[in-house]
Amino acid sequence: MSTYAGQAAEHVTLPSSLDEAVEALAAMPSAVPVAGGTDLMAAVNSGLLRPAALVGLGRISEIRGWQYADGAALLGAGLTHARMGRPDFAALIPALAAAARSAGPPQIRNAGTLGGNIATAAPTGDALPVLAALEASVILAGPEGDRELPVSHLLTGMDPLRPGELLAFVRIPLLHAPQTFLKATGRTGPGRAVASVALVVDPARRQVRCSVGAVAPVPLRPLEAEQWVAGLIDWDGERSLAPEACTAFGEYVAAACIPDQPGVELPPAAVQLRRTVAALSRRALGRALA
Amino acid sequence: MSIIEGPGPVADTLAGASAHGIGASVPPADALAKTRGTYPYAADLWAEGLLWAAVLRSPHPSARIVRIDTADARAMPGVRAVITHEDVPGDAMHGRGVADRPVFAQDVVRHHGEPIAAVAADHPDTARLAAAAILVEYEVLDPVTDPEKAFAAEPLHPDGNLIRHIPLSFGDPEAVGEVVVEGLYRVGRQDPAPIGAEAGLAVPRPDGGVELYIASTDPHADRDIAAACFGLEADRVKVVVTGVPGATGDREDSGVQLPLGLLALKTGCPVKFVATREESFLGHAHRHPTLLRYRHHADAEGRLVKVEAQILLDAGAYADASSSALAAAVAFAAGPYVVPHVFVEGWAVRTNNPPSGHVRGEGAMQVCAAYEGQMDKLAAKLGLEPAEVRMRNVLATGDLLPTGQTVTCPAPVGELLKAVRDADLPPLPDGEDESQWLLPGGTSGAGEPGAVRRGVGYALGMVHVLGAEGTDEVSTATVRIHDGRATVICAAVETGQGFTTLARQVVQEVLGVEDVRVLPADTDQPPAGPAARGRHTWVSAGAVERAAKMVRTQLLQPLAAKFGMSVELLSIADGKITSYDGVLSTTVAETLDGKELWATAQCRPHPTDRLDENGQGDAFVGLAFCAIRAVVDVDIELGSVRAVELAVAQDVGRVLNPRQLAARIEAGVTQGLGMALMEDLRAPGGVVKRPNFTGYPLPTALDAPDVRIVKLVEERDVVAPFGAKAVSAVPVVTAPAAVAAAVRAATGRPVNRLPIRPQAAIVKPQV
């Protein structure tokens, strides 16, 4: 006789449409949706998680591609990093493509998805600062129908996923302007970000939006620095900045994201991180305006 | 002396060589199975009715055990046995060399992850849950984690905190040079990180003995340790070596093998264990973290006058291989340079840090990082080129080591250095589109050409070949020939180093038959010793050669007698025997006429001495040398480093298998690069942090540089079989120092710590 109750989850459902997936989740509220499994299965394998049931999202073709909708791109949550890294996608949303290309070794990029990156919400999730800078929103499919909310509301836990809800799409405004994503890892091969910076130029709204990843639990937006630098740019002219302005912007962003502690000297690791964020922000702005 | 030179030594040799025998690039016999995924590793083993083991490990680096209560765990359904220190029938302590490590902690735990109890259950999850249900009451103690404080700390072990002290004194302590440079260097904790899961299967035998199926790298030593622990005669414990998925150190942790066997004996059932990566990081031995303080004296021309050094090895809680690592560190403290006066104090001390032990090039790697840092400092102070100051001091055959031993083997150090110095430099990133340049951080990464500086650095390294200081380095092999096919029986373990390929080549060469098989290793065969320090290339391949020659004589003797000529006048090739004059021509199969011929032989190199109280003695059988020139690009704002190219010139004695040799050098350089740039198992307060491959990154193909073998010096070592030297360890030893030297050149920063952290490679803007 064995106490072995089956090492895999007892129930694995493989729905072929979003509706079926939502139904499956509603039928078994303890089920866990799984897409690429690059985070989830690692947790299962190390014994941290034993889901009672799994809803596999791999066969839902409607969330594995993208479409255009009113000047925005509607990205399926099942888009893999590998797909997002390809040139056609890079022409559309360059910063997200750059983040996807740096998200890990090919094996991980082939399996890991955009939706998974958001659902895991790791501080080092590479797509997250890009989504924050793009002011993307997520569309959640649930038993009560769809709802849309800013990605930052989901990431900060302001408006979390409700029971039975599934991350279906990500809506990203198409800006037709330069955008960059830069990541520091200390190595040349794929690695977790020490810090990352996503920066997008939005000529229609005359904004520069910047988001810093990996330095805090959620991506940070240095709003004051964004406004300051947007005020310096000649939006009707060349849209270029003096190198000193880029440097000052970097310092501004870094100080905003890694603030001084009143009365205490910053520890060396924080000083180092601030220097890294400053260099990344300066380079990101420089490249976006080049 | 012949030299392979130029851009493609491997390709050149491949083109002209025959497909088998010594000097040919014979592919490994298991390559296809490994590629197809059918090669059986230890984690794939299965036995009918097997139980699963789990080990309970200490969460504290230092604590007193007040009470262990296994009642809850025993009561769980599916649990078949729970064992602690009370269930060890034989010796409670074990260890390589010094038996100072308990099988299970009894009164105290001395490091994070030390085994306390083990469980056998009918499912791995049940076993893990039961292990977690064992109640252990600890009285947590302050750990000793700073090796400098270990001297004065309360003894962590009945044997005391000082594992070994070697005060080496060579020459005149009063000697002084015109130029003096000092430095303090630190080397972090590298993990051997064997990629395949550590696993094993223990099967009880009807006679009350047990068989251990493990990926052992030294089956006879493991068997002896296990038999002593189980309280059994050695012949009732058998270690069968399963497929070893790569080993660059002691692969398996005895903390797992011993509980496995004890559980099998206790339950009467086969018991299997597969370690998680976390357990692997906690259990097996790491490279010794080392603190090194150096003072080099030189004359105005840059010739070394005196080297003074203090070397402190952090051994962790148990002795393991620390004594031999310290001997290598002290003996090679000045590097492959001629120094008339050398004074070194070396200590290996006990701490509550993770255990240290044998990892390729132990001792030699740490000192290489330090003495090469000193050579760079000396060059800077004298205004000389770093390569030039090294060239003025290189060691050669006939010179003395600081241990008083004369270098009798080939030591073409100057020639190696000249080869890497004169090699063409790799081109700078090229092309119009800067975003496609491969800069630190990867293509289209954060790297910016304006912030990237290129640096070139040199390092010379040396290691000893075979165990040192009186170790009996013997190996035994048996060769059989039948039906025109040969079989090799030798307990030397194929760890990925290529021994089985080499053994086949040796037999092909001697017996002239192409079809040679090497049987799997187990302890029913005579001992061959550990797979370490290039031993098997020397002693085991040497034993195979002798046995094959004995078979050859047996085969040819009757023929020679019949035709009235001596055996030497006959030759065998492609299964055919011919005489020098062509009169006689027959085949091996015909001559054998259905008979089998067997021979067993041993290879034992000349004995060595233990270093005496002044660190003097002929401690080493052989030495191997290497020169590496590293070219790196450093992003001086982010501190990210990309190794562009490592050019290697190595003293190999003789190339036995060109392709395998190139692969060994590439692997060694890459392991060294990991030590240089990223690998450091952090254990603040003695507690291992992030024991996984996210927290402990290894070099990937993108991190690995172009490894360019610019020269292989084939100056045969007359005392070694085939004249060949071991090749794997010396690039590991040399590469980190070369990368550090290159980062130093690129940034002007001191770079006195390995791995090189980004903050050490940042050039602060001048205010």
Side-chain angles (χ1 to χ4, degrees):
Chain A
M1 209 206 79
S2 170
T3 50
Y4 175 34
Q7 192 157 15
E10 279 197 61
H11 298 281
V12 177
T13 335
L14 292 169
S16 55
S17 74
L18 259 181
D19 293 341
E20 279 178 43
V22 170
E23 266 172 47
L25 274 180
M28 185 167 281
S30 60
V32 177
V34 55
T38 52
D39 291 316
L40 182 82
M41 293 316 290
V44 170
N45 289 339
S46 63
L48 295 173
L49 202 67
R50 270 297 126 89
L54 291 174
V55 176
L57 308 178
R59 293 191 184 167
I60 310 177
S61 49
E62 60 196 292
I63 60 166
R64 294 183 70 83
W66 73 82
Q67 54 196 307
Y68 301 99
D70 310 327
L74 205 57
L75 311 184
L79 265 178
T80 62
H81 289 104
R83 184 68 195 89
M84 291 191 288
R86 288 205 210 134
D88 57 342
F89 191 91
L92 204 63
I93 314 168
L96 193 54
R101 278 197 293 262
S102 76
Q107 295 90 331
I108 295 290
R109 298 203 305 270
N110 283 334
T113 62
L114 176 64
N117 212 248
I118 300 170
T120 300
T124 51
D126 287 313
L128 305 183
V130 181
L131 299 179
L134 288 166
E135 296 191 333
S137 59
V138 289
I139 297 169
L140 307 175
E144 259 94 77
D146 293 355
R147 66 187 180 110
E148 183 162 353
L149 65 156
V151 71
S152 53
H153 289 199
L154 191 66
L155 291 176
T156 53
M158 230 172 88
D159 193 351
L161 274 176
R162 294 173 195 159
E165 267 186 344
L166 200 63
L167 189 55
F169 297 99
V170 179
R171 191 193 298 277
I172 293 182
L174 294 175
L175 300 176
H176 309 292
Q179 43 183 250
T180 47
F181 170 82
L182 297 181
K183 166 175 167 179
T185 60
R187 62 188 287 185
T188 299
R192 298 241 157 160
V194 173
S196 61
V197 169
L199 186 135
V200 306
V201 178
D202 186 347
R205 287 156 68 187
R206 302 203 159 187
Q207 280 182 348
V208 171
R209 294 199 297 274
C210 173
S211 175
V212 179
V215 299
V218 292
L220 301 177
R221 286 276 304 276
L223 298 173
E224 285 178 20
E226 289 178 0
Q227 281 160 17
W228 174 78
V229 79
L232 290 184
I233 294 173
D234 174 13
W235 289 100
D236 302 314
E238 290 249 313
R239 288 208 312 238
S240 66
L241 281 178
E244 295 76 23
C246 290
T247 308
F249 172 74
E251 304 288 336
Y252 204 162
V253 171
C257 295
I258 300 133
D260 281 316
Q261 316 282 335
V264 215
E265 203 179 322
L266 272 187
V271 173
Q272 158 72 10
L273 189 59
R274 194 188 260 190
R275 209 180 284 136
T276 302
V277 171
L280 288 179
S281 313
R282 170 171 48 81
R283 290 181 188 181
L285 183 64
R287 286 190 200 180
L289 298 178
Chain B
M1 189 184 78
S2 68
I3 289 161
I4 298 178
E5 247 186 312
V10 176
D12 295 347
T13 317
L14 270 179
S18 62
H20 54 87
I22 297 285
S25 281
V26 175
D30 54 16
L32 198 61
K34 282 180 171 169
T35 319
R36 285 182 174 159
T38 55
Y39 184 79
Y41 291 110
D44 303 321
L45 294 170
W46 189 263
E48 196 57 38
L50 63 76
L51 301 174
W52 294 84
V55 177
L56 172 69
R57 294 172 179 277
S58 167
H60 307 294
S62 178
R64 227 184 304 281
I65 298 176
V66 180
R67 190 167 66 94
I68 303 175
D69 182 355
T70 59
D72 288 353
R74 282 176 208 278
M76 286 174 67
V79 172
R80 299 283 293 277
V82 180
I83 55 171
T84 65
H85 63 89
E86 291 174 350
D87 304 280
V88 180
D91 293 351
M93 308 292 261
H94 67 95
R96 291 272 163 81
V98 190
D100 66 346
R101 185 193 296 254
V103 181
F104 293 115
Q106 184 174 350
D107 305 318
V108 285
V109 289
R110 300 191 180 90
H111 71 89
H112 177 208
E114 180 153 20
I116 292 173
V119 178
D122 58 11
H123 185 261
D125 284 351
T126 313
R128 290 223 170 91
L129 284 172
I134 298 169
L135 191 88
V136 186
E137 204 177 302
Y138 298 99
E139 183 191 328
V140 176
L141 304 173
D142 276 341
V144 176
T145 55
D146 179 351
E148 286 186 282
K149 294 192 175 133
F151 294 96
E154 286 291 305
L156 302 172
H157 191 282
D159 294 356
N161 290 352
L162 184 60
I163 288 169
R164 192 175 182 189
H165 173 215
I166 307 176
L168 180 145
S169 110
F170 177 79
D172 175 12
E174 306 299 325
V176 285
E178 290 160 70
V179 185
V180 177
V181 290
E182 295 189 10
L184 180 68
Y185 303 87
R186 276 174 200 279
V187 177
R189 181 178 294 109
Q190 190 177 29
D191 190 273
I195 291 302
E198 290 177 58
L201 177 70
V203 181
R205 289 209 304 215
D207 67 352
V210 66
E211 292 185 359
L212 296 172
Y213 294 82
I214 48 180
S216 170
T217 54
D218 187 356
H220 287 82
D222 283 341
R223 181 210 46 197
D224 293 344
I225 288 172
C229 163
F230 304 159
L232 292 173
E233 298 290 319
D235 58 8
R236 289 172 73 192
V237 177
K238 179 176 174 181
V239 169
V240 182
V241 179
T242 60
V244 179
T248 58
D250 278 339
R251 220 198 103 77
E252 302 296 296
D253 153 28
S254 337
V256 167
Q257 301 168 5
L258 301 178
L260 203 56
L262 290 170
L263 287 168
L265 287 167
K266 179 135 183 158
T267 58
C269 294
V271 182
K272 180 173 172 173
F273 178 83
V274 181
T276 61
R277 182 53 62 182
E278 179 178 346
E279 284 181 295
S280 212
F281 271 112
L282 291 177
H284 63 215
H286 311 93
R287 193 184 288 289
H288 293 79
T290 308
L291 183 64
L292 309 107
R293 193 173 283 122
Y294 266 76
R295 188 185 292 133
H296 273 55
H297 295 249
D299 66 15
E301 273 74 54
R303 265 179 290 274
L304 291 170
V305 173
K306 184 166 76 165
V307 170
E308 296 166 283
Q310 294 179 326
I311 301 165
L312 179 58
L313 261 54
D314 177 354
Y318 300 107
D320 206 325
S322 297
S323 175
S324 57
L326 185 68
V330 169
F332 305 143
Y337 300 110
V338 178
V339 193
H341 312 287
V342 181
F343 295 87
V344 185
E345 292 269 352
W347 301 272
V349 296
R350 205 183 295 279
T351 65
N352 293 118
N353 286 324
S356 303
H358 163 59
V359 182
R360 274 210 295 231
E362 71 266 31
M365 186 259 120
Q366 289 94 329
V367 292
C368 182
Y371 65 68
E372 288 300 57
Q374 289 290 96
M375 295 308 273
D376 279 350
K377 274 194 179 168
L378 203 56
K381 192 145 186 177
L382 290 162
L384 290 171
E385 287 290 315
E388 180 54 34
V389 91
R390 287 171 169 86
M391 193 58 101
R392 290 181 186 183
N393 291 288
V394 288
L395 189 82
T397 307
D399 287 329
L400 285 182
L401 293 179
T403 55
Q405 178 170 356
T406 307
V407 178
T408 51
C409 69
V413 184
E415 195 182 343
L416 297 174
L417 177 59
K418 186 172 181 306
V420 293
R421 190 187 62 187
D422 296 347
D424 295 337
L425 283 165
L428 289 163
D430 200 7
E432 298 241 324
D433 187 0
E434 287 184 1
S435 72
Q436 293 307 306
W437 290 6
L438 185 51
L439 296 174
T443 44
S444 62
E448 198 150 87
V452 173
R453 301 280 180 277
R454 176 157 285 195
V456 179
Y458 296 89
L460 299 177
M462 67 193 293
V463 293
H464 61 96
V465 182
L466 302 184
E469 292 195 282
T471 320
D472 182 20
E473 290 293 52
V474 65
S475 182
T476 310
T478 301
V479 172
R480 173 176 80 139
I481 190 167
H482 55 104
D483 303 338
R485 195 166 81 198
T487 308
V488 177
I489 300 169
C490 180
V493 178
E494 168 65 54
T495 61
Q497 88 278 46
F499 170 72
T500 51
T501 310
L502 188 54
R504 282 166 50 224
Q505 290 179 259
V506 169
V507 176
Q508 286 168 349
E509 185 79 16
V510 176
L511 293 179
V513 289
E514 202 172 332
D515 188 358
V516 184
R517 289 166 198 196
V518 181
L519 294 189
D522 66 48
T523 53
D524 287 348
Q525 299 158 8
R533 301 173 197 93
R535 286 185 75 260
H536 290 327
T537 306
W538 187 313
V539 286
S540 297
V544 170
E545 188 199 24
R546 284 182 194 188
K549 282 187 169 162
M550 285 158 70
V551 168
R552 185 180 200 272
T553 307
Q554 289 178 45
L555 177 70
L556 299 182
Q557 195 78 62
L559 271 183
K562 191 166 151 193
F563 289 91
M565 55 175 74
S566 74
V567 168
E568 286 70 36
L569 297 177
L570 297 170
S571 66
I572 323 178
D574 298 326
K576 288 194 190 72
I577 302 171
T578 44
S579 62
Y580 74 105
D581 52 7
V583 171
L584 170 70
S585 179
T586 178
T587 66
V588 170
E590 211 169 291
T591 313
L592 280 171
D593 191 23
K595 289 195 294 289
E596 278 187 14
L597 297 177
W598 289 74
T600 299
Q602 282 195 322
C603 179
R604 177 179 263 127
H606 61 82
T608 51
D609 305 329
R610 190 170 162 85
L611 294 176
D612 67 13
E613 65 282 358
N614 292 317
Q616 301 293 298
D618 288 355
F620 308 113
V621 180
L623 300 167
F625 304 89
C626 171
I628 295 184
R629 182 193 66 195
V631 176
V632 302
D633 281 347
V634 183
D635 186 323
I636 58 164
E637 286 180 344
L638 298 177
S640 43
V641 177
R642 184 176 101 79
V644 177
E645 182 200 85
L646 267 71
V648 184
Q650 196 166 320
D651 151 45
V652 297
R654 180 179 174 190
V655 179
L656 302 176
N657 183 327
R659 194 184 291 158
Q660 188 161 294
L661 182 130
R664 299 311 289 163
I665 292 178
E666 283 175 20
V669 166
T670 310
Q671 192 180 17
L673 182 88
M675 179 78 249
L677 294 181
M678 56 191 81
E679 293 184 45
D680 188 10
L681 188 69
R682 308 256 305 146
V687 178
V688 177
K689 288 285 174 234
R690 305 214 288 159
N692 54 56
F693 283 137
T694 306
Y696 185 91
L698 293 172
T700 63
L702 272 175
D703 296 292
D706 289 339
V707 178
R708 190 165 139 222
I709 300 169
V710 294
K711 189 168 200 170
L712 299 173
V713 177
E714 290 192 278
E715 209 174 318
R716 294 187 187 184
D717 187 349
V718 290
V719 297
F722 325 109
K725 294 187 176 191
V727 297
S728 297
V730 68
V732 183
V733 163
T734 318
V739 172
V743 174
R744 223 172 262 138
T747 62
R749 301 280 312 268
V751 191
N752 48 15
R753 189 173 179 150
L754 294 178
I756 303 162
R757 299 172 302 168
Q759 54 266 48
I762 289 176
V763 181
K764 285 175 194 134
Q766 301 296 317
V767 183

